[in-house]
Amino acid sequence: MPPEESTGQGAITVAHLAPELTRGLYRDMRTARDLDTEAIALQRQGVFPAYVSVRGQEAAQVASATALDPARDFVFPTYREMAVALAYGVEMVGYMATHRALWHGGLYDVMGSRFGAINAVVGGPVPHAVGWAVGERLRGDQGVAMAYFGDGASSEGDVHEAMNFAGVFTAPVVFFCQNNQWALSVPNERQVAGGSIAARAEGYGMPGVLVDGNDAGAVYAATAEAVQRARTGGGPTVIEALTYRVEPHSTSDDPGRYRDEAAADRWRRRDPIDLLRTAMLQAGHADEAFFATVDAEAARRAEQIRDGVADAPEPDGSELFTHVFRETTEELTRQHRTWQEEVEL
């Protein structure tokens, strides 16, 4: 199915957004793209054991994160939200170091950045987000939880239970589904009954919004409205951002075994960064000089993060045994002692 048929849209417009906002969106999307390219290279060089690309999903990630308030809100990511982390202001060397498997969940400050540790459990961040949101409501504070998940995760029981719980308790949470149309090797039509994830929201007593995930302006507007609704007591929202996973599921995947690459090529031609750039020029939000400057800055920043990640020192091996249990067990103590004896040999 061609992307314009899938989303109902071809070109995009940003006339409804402030020029400074669109310039910030472009800057973060361009930087995320360059950093993604550097990360794939690090995996190929053996620095990262594995990596999951965000290419083609920058609009969905950056625009949704930009609609949040990092001083009040809290993000609960999966393993594919690198562009969200960047736009949200997370310290990126510490975040990307997660892919080197250096420490539990990354070297960045989870609580300080209000950005949860990378969660590789399918659907795992969603109940966590609802729990935090209910707690925020009970405290009388105005923070909003953002739960990211994919179309494959939408089939998990945890996601349905979390949405129902959020609806019953009017939790201030936004359920943001990046529907990139492939649950690893399983296409939407084989695992999403009814064809729409946003349509399920009605059953949980909340609004559901289907948005063009490659249109940064549309994603920002939909997310800002959902965040405002949650912050003012209106409860949760489901946003389904329809996009496409143009790269393999991960660096160990071969999508040629299960999908028609012609479809991926059609989506590559509808690149979210190119769409935003064209729309900004048409709206008078920027000129070619701006893009030349930002593109160069983005490349430099991506290289700096790459070098910082590659040079990050490994933590002391004894930290393997921290944060496993609140109170250590006899077996963990034995393993720690054995490790110490082997290291000291």
Side-chain angles (χ1 to χ4, degrees):
M1 179 183 297
E4 59 271 16
E5 294 178 17
S6 301
T7 62
Q9 299 188 47
I12 70 170
T13 179
V14 294
H16 59 297
L17 301 179
E20 187 57 35
L21 173 61
T22 61
R23 289 194 284 267
L25 292 173
Y26 181 86
R27 181 177 292 106
D28 287 340
M29 288 168 62
R30 181 72 257 178
T31 304
R33 173 66 59 83
D34 289 345
L35 182 55
D36 191 69
T37 301
E38 296 288 358
I40 292 173
L42 287 175
Q43 191 280 327
R44 301 306 189 209
Q45 295 163 11
V47 177
F48 289 168
Y51 178 72
V52 290
S53 174
V54 303
R55 187 181 183 91
Q57 298 180 216
E58 294 92 349
Q61 294 199 10
V62 169
S64 58
T66 302
L68 297 169
D69 179 358
R72 293 186 288 180
D73 302 331
F74 211 108
V75 173
F76 293 83
T78 72
Y79 47 78
R80 202 187 295 273
E81 270 70 62
M82 179 270 282
V84 176
L86 189 146
Y88 202 62
V90 177
E91 193 279 299
M92 291 306 290
V93 170
Y95 173 87
M96 295 300 289
T98 307
H99 297 289
R100 278 186 60 192
L102 291 182
W103 206 73
H104 313 275
L107 297 175
Y108 65 98
D109 184 348
V110 167
M111 295 303 293
S113 62
R114 303 179 73 82
F115 189 94
I118 288 178
N119 194 327
V121 177
V122 178
V126 181
H128 295 173
V130 173
W132 183 90
V134 170
E136 186 78 351
R137 183 172 178 270
L138 292 174
R139 286 189 296 270
D141 294 331
Q142 292 188 313
V144 173
M146 175 68 88
Y148 285 97
F149 61 105
D151 46 291
S154 72
S155 298
E156 294 290 326
D158 286 357
V159 172
H160 295 281
E161 293 170 18
M163 287 183 178
N164 186 63
F165 195 92
V168 169
F169 289 94
T170 323
V173 57
V174 177
F175 298 102
F176 194 93
C177 176
Q178 291 177 83
N179 184 349
N180 64 21
Q181 304 185 47
W182 286 95
L184 210 166
S185 60
V186 181
N188 270 185
E189 58 268 23
R190 287 178 52 197
Q191 64 96 26
V192 179
S196 173
I197 295 161
R200 298 174 182 172
E202 184 177 357
Y204 303 118
M206 64 185 76
V209 180
L210 176 63
V211 66
D212 179 357
N214 284 28
D215 183 339
V219 172
Y220 176 84
T223 309
E225 181 179 348
V227 169
Q228 180 62 15
R229 181 185 301 114
R231 203 180 306 285
T232 54
T237 302
V238 175
I239 298 176
E240 179 183 359
L242 187 63
T243 181
Y244 197 85
R245 196 199 76 212
V246 297
E247 296 298 316
H249 175 75
S250 72
T251 47
S252 61
D253 177 39
D254 176 12
R257 294 180 297 117
Y258 56 80
R259 78 179 185 189
D260 178 6
E261 284 303 297
D265 288 339
R266 287 196 296 268
W267 280 89
R268 288 188 183 98
R269 289 194 294 272
R270 195 167 183 275
D271 186 282
I273 297 177
D274 293 343
L275 290 175
L276 179 58
R277 181 185 183 118
T278 299
M280 290 173 66
L281 287 169
Q282 292 175 344
H285 288 190
D287 55 20
E288 291 294 351
F290 165 82
F291 291 115
T293 299
V294 169
D295 289 355
E297 291 174 349
R300 283 195 297 270
R301 186 181 178 198
E303 291 170 358
Q304 290 170 352
I305 295 170
R306 174 204 66 195
D307 292 343
V309 172
D311 295 339
E314 295 186 6
D316 188 278
S318 64
E319 294 188 13
L320 285 169
F321 305 93
T322 62
H323 304 290
V324 179
F325 297 101
R326 181 175 180 180
E327 296 178 4
T328 191
T329 64
E330 290 185 8
E331 175 60 19
L332 189 63
T333 300
R334 185 195 66 77
Q335 293 178 16
H336 192 183
R337 184 170 58 251
T338 300
W339 175 85
Q340 286 180 314
E341 291 171 352
E342 292 178 352
V343 168
E344 291 170 356
L345 288 177

